[in-house]
Amino acid sequence: MLDVTVIEDPQAAAVSLDPVRARLLAELAAGPASAAMLAGNVGLPRQKVNYHLKTLERHGLVELAGERRKGNVTERLMRATAASYVISPLALASVQPDPDRFRDQLSARWLLALGARLVRDVGSLITGAAKARKRLATFALDGEVRFASAADRAAFIEELTAGVSALIRKYDAPGAEDGRDHRIVVAVHPTLKPKEADGPTPAPAPEPNP
């Protein structure tokens, strides 16, 4: 089972968003189970659970983990293909965000468009690497910082921009015939508290001028 996988197919995305099927995916992420076992957990008849499982299997969201005999019946034990799923913007290709339409480093919506492109591109790279049976070279850095003031945050961003730009100028080799282009995304945004992440979107707190 993969830790996370990206759903690119529109129909698979629609299937995964169904509340009952999403519940079944969560149950199967915890371990293999049969339709009969799941029926009691989700409060549905076994036949209806089996129908949902076949739909999930058809779209590659669950897979056969094994079979077992129970009386005169052979039960199929199913498992989720991943512990969690992310829906790629490719599932809504005609309306997916395009960060190249506008560039505003201080726009939260532009940051969201960049994040969506990141999910789309890395998801496609993972799919391609899996088909080619090759490893995908990526790197991510995640951290938190508490700024004493908006002025400190502005100074941090200025230094961060200068530092990253200097590294790009140092290592960029546009004429390298055997080189490969890489995309760099650096983001800074307020940290969500656990309750905020699970609940409604909070209104941003006013900030003093730098």
Side-chain angles (χ1 to χ4, degrees):
M1 179 190 295
L2 301 172
D3 290 334
V4 61
T5 194
V6 178
I7 299 173
E8 298 177 331
D9 179 68
Q11 293 183 344
V15 165
S16 70
L17 290 173
D18 177 87
V20 172
R21 291 166 185 161
R23 172 73 187 280
L24 291 174
L25 284 175
E27 293 282 342
L28 293 174
S34 67
M37 295 165 62
L38 291 167
N41 293 344
V42 300
L44 289 174
R46 180 185 60 79
Q47 294 86 347
K48 182 163 286 190
V49 170
N50 197 45
Y51 165 78
H52 288 304
L53 289 177
K54 287 182 178 179
T55 302
L56 291 168
E57 184 180 15
R58 188 162 60 249
H59 291 283
L61 301 175
V62 303
E63 61 187 4
L64 182 66
E67 294 180 337
R68 69 177 184 182
R69 293 286 298 179
K70 191 172 183 180
N72 295 326
V73 178
T74 299
E75 288 189 330
R76 302 177 79 230
L77 297 175
M78 307 301 296
R79 65 184 174 199
T81 54
S84 56
Y85 300 85
V86 176
I87 297 178
S88 169
L90 286 176
L92 294 170
S94 60
V95 292
Q96 64 178 306
D98 181 6
D100 291 330
R101 289 175 187 161
F102 67 95
R103 297 181 67 87
D104 182 355
Q105 290 178 309
L106 300 180
S107 168
R109 298 186 188 280
W110 188 61
L111 174 57
L112 187 62
L114 287 175
R117 184 177 64 186
L118 181 67
V119 170
R120 181 199 68 192
D121 290 355
V122 175
S124 296
L125 287 168
I126 289 173
T127 300
K131 289 180 179 178
R133 297 184 180 275
K134 292 183 178 180
R135 295 189 62 184
L136 180 61
T138 62
F139 170 77
L141 180 65
D142 181 41
E144 293 186 21
V145 57
R146 178 184 287 267
F147 296 113
S149 66
D152 283 354
R153 184 184 62 192
F156 173 86
I157 291 174
E158 184 177 352
E159 291 186 40
L160 179 65
T161 301
V164 173
S165 298
L167 284 172
I168 291 174
R169 289 192 299 270
K170 179 179 179 180
Y171 289 99
D172 187 26
E177 294 183 0
D178 296 329
R180 180 169 183 178
D181 294 336
H182 285 68
R183 185 176 297 281
I184 299 168
V185 178
V186 179
V188 176
H189 64 79
T191 302
L192 281 177
K193 297 178 182 178
K195 290 184 179 180
E196 292 175 345
D198 295 335
T201 303
E207 296 181 348
N209 294 326

Short mmCIF file of all heavy atoms in Angstrom, two decimals, residues 104-140:
data_model
loop_
_atom_site.label_atom_id
_atom_site.label_comp_id
_atom_site.label_asym_id
_atom_site.label_seq_id
_atom_site.Cartn_x
_atom_site.Cartn_y
_atom_site.Cartn_z
N ASP A 104 1.64 37.19 -8.84
CA ASP A 104 1.58 38.12 -7.73
C ASP A 104 2.10 37.40 -6.50
O ASP A 104 1.40 36.60 -5.89
CB ASP A 104 0.15 38.62 -7.52
CG ASP A 104 0.04 39.64 -6.40
OD1 ASP A 104 1.06 39.90 -5.72
OD2 ASP A 104 -1.05 40.20 -6.20
N GLN A 105 3.33 37.68 -6.13
CA GLN A 105 3.96 36.95 -5.03
C GLN A 105 3.27 37.17 -3.69
O GLN A 105 3.46 36.39 -2.76
CB GLN A 105 5.43 37.36 -4.92
CG GLN A 105 6.28 36.87 -6.09
CD GLN A 105 7.72 37.33 -5.97
OE1 GLN A 105 7.99 38.51 -5.79
NE2 GLN A 105 8.65 36.40 -6.07
N LEU A 106 2.46 38.20 -3.58
CA LEU A 106 1.75 38.47 -2.33
C LEU A 106 0.30 38.00 -2.37
O LEU A 106 -0.46 38.27 -1.43
CB LEU A 106 1.81 39.97 -2.02
CG LEU A 106 3.22 40.56 -1.87
CD1 LEU A 106 3.13 42.04 -1.56
CD2 LEU A 106 3.99 39.82 -0.78
N SER A 107 -0.08 37.31 -3.43
CA SER A 107 -1.46 36.84 -3.57
C SER A 107 -1.60 35.42 -3.04
O SER A 107 -0.91 34.51 -3.48
CB SER A 107 -1.88 36.88 -5.04
OG SER A 107 -3.10 36.19 -5.24
N ALA A 108 -2.53 35.24 -2.10
CA ALA A 108 -2.79 33.90 -1.57
C ALA A 108 -3.39 33.00 -2.65
O ALA A 108 -3.15 31.79 -2.67
CB ALA A 108 -3.74 33.98 -0.38
N ARG A 109 -4.14 33.58 -3.57
CA ARG A 109 -4.74 32.78 -4.64
C ARG A 109 -3.68 32.31 -5.64
O ARG A 109 -3.79 31.22 -6.20
CB ARG A 109 -5.85 33.57 -5.34
CG ARG A 109 -6.99 33.92 -4.39
CD ARG A 109 -8.17 34.57 -5.09
NE ARG A 109 -9.14 35.03 -4.11
CZ ARG A 109 -10.04 34.25 -3.50
NH1 ARG A 109 -10.08 32.97 -3.79
NH2 ARG A 109 -10.88 34.74 -2.61
N TRP A 110 -2.67 33.14 -5.87
CA TRP A 110 -1.58 32.70 -6.74
C TRP A 110 -0.81 31.57 -6.06
O TRP A 110 -0.39 30.61 -6.70
CB TRP A 110 -0.63 33.88 -7.06
CG TRP A 110 0.38 33.53 -8.11
CD1 TRP A 110 0.13 33.14 -9.40
CD2 TRP A 110 1.80 33.51 -7.96
NE1 TRP A 110 1.32 32.89 -10.07
CE2 TRP A 110 2.35 33.12 -9.22
CE3 TRP A 110 2.67 33.82 -6.91
CZ2 TRP A 110 3.72 33.00 -9.43
CZ3 TRP A 110 4.04 33.71 -7.13
CH2 TRP A 110 4.56 33.30 -8.37
N LEU A 111 -0.61 31.68 -4.73
CA LEU A 111 0.03 30.60 -3.99
C LEU A 111 -0.78 29.31 -4.12
O LEU A 111 -0.22 28.22 -4.29
CB LEU A 111 0.17 31.01 -2.51
CG LEU A 111 0.70 29.93 -1.56
CD1 LEU A 111 2.06 29.42 -2.00
CD2 LEU A 111 0.77 30.49 -0.13
N LEU A 112 -2.10 29.43 -4.06
CA LEU A 112 -2.96 28.26 -4.21
C LEU A 112 -2.81 27.65 -5.61
O LEU A 112 -2.75 26.43 -5.76
CB LEU A 112 -4.42 28.66 -3.98
CG LEU A 112 -5.45 27.52 -3.93
CD1 LEU A 112 -5.15 26.58 -2.77
CD2 LEU A 112 -6.85 28.10 -3.79
N ALA A 113 -2.70 28.51 -6.63
CA ALA A 113 -2.51 28.02 -8.00
C ALA A 113 -1.17 27.30 -8.12
O ALA A 113 -1.06 26.27 -8.80
CB ALA A 113 -2.59 29.18 -8.99
N LEU A 114 -0.13 27.83 -7.47
CA LEU A 114 1.17 27.16 -7.47
C LEU A 114 1.07 25.80 -6.80
O LEU A 114 1.65 24.81 -7.27
CB LEU A 114 2.21 28.03 -6.76
CG LEU A 114 2.71 29.28 -7.47
CD1 LEU A 114 3.63 30.07 -6.54
CD2 LEU A 114 3.43 28.93 -8.75
N GLY A 115 0.36 25.75 -5.67
CA GLY A 115 0.20 24.48 -4.96
C GLY A 115 -0.53 23.45 -5.81
O GLY A 115 -0.18 22.27 -5.82
N ALA A 116 -1.55 23.91 -6.54
CA ALA A 116 -2.30 23.01 -7.41
C ALA A 116 -1.41 22.48 -8.52
O ALA A 116 -1.46 21.28 -8.86
CB ALA A 116 -3.51 23.73 -7.99
N ARG A 117 -0.58 23.36 -9.10
CA ARG A 117 0.34 22.90 -10.15
C ARG A 117 1.35 21.91 -9.59
O ARG A 117 1.72 20.93 -10.26
CB ARG A 117 1.06 24.09 -10.78
CG ARG A 117 1.97 23.68 -11.95
CD ARG A 117 2.62 24.87 -12.60
NE ARG A 117 3.54 25.55 -11.67
CZ ARG A 117 4.16 26.70 -11.96
NH1 ARG A 117 3.95 27.29 -13.12
NH2 ARG A 117 4.97 27.26 -11.08
N LEU A 118 1.78 22.13 -8.35
CA LEU A 118 2.71 21.22 -7.71
C LEU A 118 2.10 19.82 -7.58
O LEU A 118 2.74 18.81 -7.89
CB LEU A 118 3.12 21.76 -6.34
CG LEU A 118 4.12 20.93 -5.54
CD1 LEU A 118 5.47 20.91 -6.22
CD2 LEU A 118 4.25 21.50 -4.12
N VAL A 119 0.84 19.77 -7.13
CA VAL A 119 0.15 18.48 -7.01
C VAL A 119 0.02 17.82 -8.37
O VAL A 119 0.28 16.62 -8.53
CB VAL A 119 -1.25 18.68 -6.37
CG1 VAL A 119 -2.06 17.39 -6.46
CG2 VAL A 119 -1.12 19.12 -4.92
N ARG A 120 -0.36 18.62 -9.38
CA ARG A 120 -0.54 18.07 -10.73
C ARG A 120 0.78 17.51 -11.28
O ARG A 120 0.84 16.37 -11.75
CB ARG A 120 -1.06 19.16 -11.66
CG ARG A 120 -1.32 18.70 -13.09
CD ARG A 120 -1.39 19.89 -14.03
NE ARG A 120 -0.09 20.55 -14.16
CZ ARG A 120 0.07 21.75 -14.75
NH1 ARG A 120 -0.97 22.41 -15.21
NH2 ARG A 120 1.29 22.28 -14.84
N ASP A 121 1.84 18.32 -11.22
CA ASP A 121 3.10 17.92 -11.83
C ASP A 121 3.74 16.74 -11.11
O ASP A 121 4.20 15.78 -11.74
CB ASP A 121 4.07 19.10 -11.86
CG ASP A 121 3.63 20.18 -12.85
OD1 ASP A 121 2.65 19.95 -13.57
OD2 ASP A 121 4.28 21.25 -12.88
N VAL A 122 3.79 16.82 -9.78
CA VAL A 122 4.42 15.72 -9.04
C VAL A 122 3.60 14.44 -9.16
O VAL A 122 4.15 13.34 -9.26
CB VAL A 122 4.62 16.11 -7.55
CG1 VAL A 122 5.15 14.93 -6.75
CG2 VAL A 122 5.57 17.29 -7.44
N GLY A 123 2.27 14.59 -9.19
CA GLY A 123 1.43 13.41 -9.39
C GLY A 123 1.72 12.73 -10.71
O GLY A 123 1.84 11.50 -10.80
N SER A 124 1.85 13.52 -11.78
CA SER A 124 2.15 12.97 -13.10
C SER A 124 3.55 12.34 -13.12
O SER A 124 3.77 11.30 -13.74
CB SER A 124 2.05 14.05 -14.16
OG SER A 124 0.71 14.54 -14.26
N LEU A 125 4.50 12.98 -12.43
CA LEU A 125 5.86 12.42 -12.37
C LEU A 125 5.87 11.09 -11.63
O LEU A 125 6.58 10.15 -12.03
CB LEU A 125 6.79 13.42 -11.68
CG LEU A 125 7.16 14.67 -12.49
CD1 LEU A 125 7.83 15.71 -11.59
CD2 LEU A 125 8.09 14.30 -13.65
N ILE A 126 5.10 11.00 -10.55
CA ILE A 126 5.03 9.75 -9.79
C ILE A 126 4.45 8.64 -10.66
O ILE A 126 4.95 7.51 -10.69
CB ILE A 126 4.18 9.94 -8.52
CG1 ILE A 126 4.94 10.79 -7.50
CG2 ILE A 126 3.80 8.59 -7.91
CD1 ILE A 126 4.12 11.16 -6.28
N THR A 127 3.39 8.98 -11.40
CA THR A 127 2.77 7.99 -12.29
C THR A 127 3.76 7.51 -13.34
O THR A 127 3.89 6.30 -13.60
CB THR A 127 1.53 8.58 -12.97
OG1 THR A 127 0.58 8.98 -11.98
CG2 THR A 127 0.88 7.56 -13.90
N GLY A 128 4.48 8.46 -13.96
CA GLY A 128 5.45 8.09 -14.98
C GLY A 128 6.60 7.28 -14.43
O GLY A 128 7.05 6.30 -15.06
N ALA A 129 7.09 7.66 -13.25
CA ALA A 129 8.21 6.93 -12.64
C ALA A 129 7.79 5.50 -12.27
O ALA A 129 8.57 4.56 -12.41
CB ALA A 129 8.70 7.68 -11.39
N ALA A 130 6.55 5.34 -11.81
CA ALA A 130 6.07 4.01 -11.44
C ALA A 130 5.98 3.11 -12.68
O ALA A 130 6.35 1.94 -12.63
CB ALA A 130 4.71 4.11 -10.76
N LYS A 131 5.49 3.68 -13.78
CA LYS A 131 5.39 2.89 -15.01
C LYS A 131 6.77 2.50 -15.53
O LYS A 131 6.96 1.41 -16.07
CB LYS A 131 4.63 3.68 -16.07
CG LYS A 131 3.14 3.84 -15.78
CD LYS A 131 2.46 4.64 -16.87
CE LYS A 131 0.96 4.77 -16.58
NZ LYS A 131 0.27 5.59 -17.62
N ALA A 132 7.74 3.41 -15.38
CA ALA A 132 9.10 3.14 -15.86
C ALA A 132 9.93 2.37 -14.84
O ALA A 132 11.07 2.03 -15.12
CB ALA A 132 9.79 4.46 -16.20
N ARG A 133 9.34 2.13 -13.66
CA ARG A 133 10.04 1.44 -12.57
C ARG A 133 11.35 2.15 -12.22
O ARG A 133 12.41 1.54 -12.08
CB ARG A 133 10.31 -0.03 -12.93
CG ARG A 133 9.06 -0.85 -13.14
CD ARG A 133 9.36 -2.30 -13.41
NE ARG A 133 8.16 -3.08 -13.62
CZ ARG A 133 7.43 -3.62 -12.65
NH1 ARG A 133 7.80 -3.44 -11.39
NH2 ARG A 133 6.35 -4.32 -12.92
N LYS A 134 11.26 3.47 -12.12
CA LYS A 134 12.41 4.28 -11.76
C LYS A 134 12.08 5.14 -10.54
O LYS A 134 10.92 5.44 -10.27
CB LYS A 134 12.81 5.18 -12.93
CG LYS A 134 13.36 4.44 -14.13
CD LYS A 134 13.81 5.43 -15.21
CE LYS A 134 14.41 4.71 -16.40
NZ LYS A 134 14.86 5.66 -17.45
N ARG A 135 13.11 5.53 -9.82
CA ARG A 135 12.93 6.41 -8.67
C ARG A 135 12.81 7.84 -9.16
O ARG A 135 13.39 8.23 -10.18
CB ARG A 135 14.10 6.28 -7.69
CG ARG A 135 14.21 4.91 -7.05
CD ARG A 135 15.24 4.93 -5.94
NE ARG A 135 14.87 5.85 -4.88
CZ ARG A 135 15.63 6.12 -3.82
NH1 ARG A 135 16.82 5.56 -3.71
NH2 ARG A 135 15.22 6.95 -2.89
N LEU A 136 12.06 8.63 -8.43
CA LEU A 136 11.86 10.03 -8.78
C LEU A 136 12.65 10.89 -7.81
O LEU A 136 12.47 10.81 -6.59
CB LEU A 136 10.37 10.37 -8.69
CG LEU A 136 9.96 11.79 -9.02
CD1 LEU A 136 10.32 12.13 -10.46
CD2 LEU A 136 8.46 11.98 -8.80
N ALA A 137 13.55 11.71 -8.34
CA ALA A 137 14.40 12.57 -7.50
C ALA A 137 13.66 13.86 -7.15
O ALA A 137 13.42 14.70 -8.01
CB ALA A 137 15.70 12.89 -8.23
N THR A 138 13.27 13.99 -5.90
CA THR A 138 12.60 15.20 -5.42
C THR A 138 13.17 15.58 -4.06
O THR A 138 13.88 14.80 -3.42
CB THR A 138 11.08 15.00 -5.29
OG1 THR A 138 10.82 13.97 -4.32
CG2 THR A 138 10.46 14.62 -6.62
N PHE A 139 12.84 16.77 -3.62
CA PHE A 139 13.26 17.24 -2.30
C PHE A 139 12.21 18.21 -1.78
O PHE A 139 11.63 18.98 -2.56
CB PHE A 139 14.62 17.95 -2.38
CG PHE A 139 15.01 18.67 -1.11
CD1 PHE A 139 15.50 17.96 -0.02
CD2 PHE A 139 14.85 20.04 -1.00
CE1 PHE A 139 15.84 18.62 1.15
CE2 PHE A 139 15.19 20.71 0.17
CZ PHE A 139 15.69 19.99 1.24
N ALA A 140 11.95 18.16 -0.50
CA ALA A 140 11.00 19.10 0.11
C ALA A 140 11.53 19.53 1.47
O ALA A 140 12.18 18.74 2.19
CB ALA A 140 9.63 18.46 0.27
#
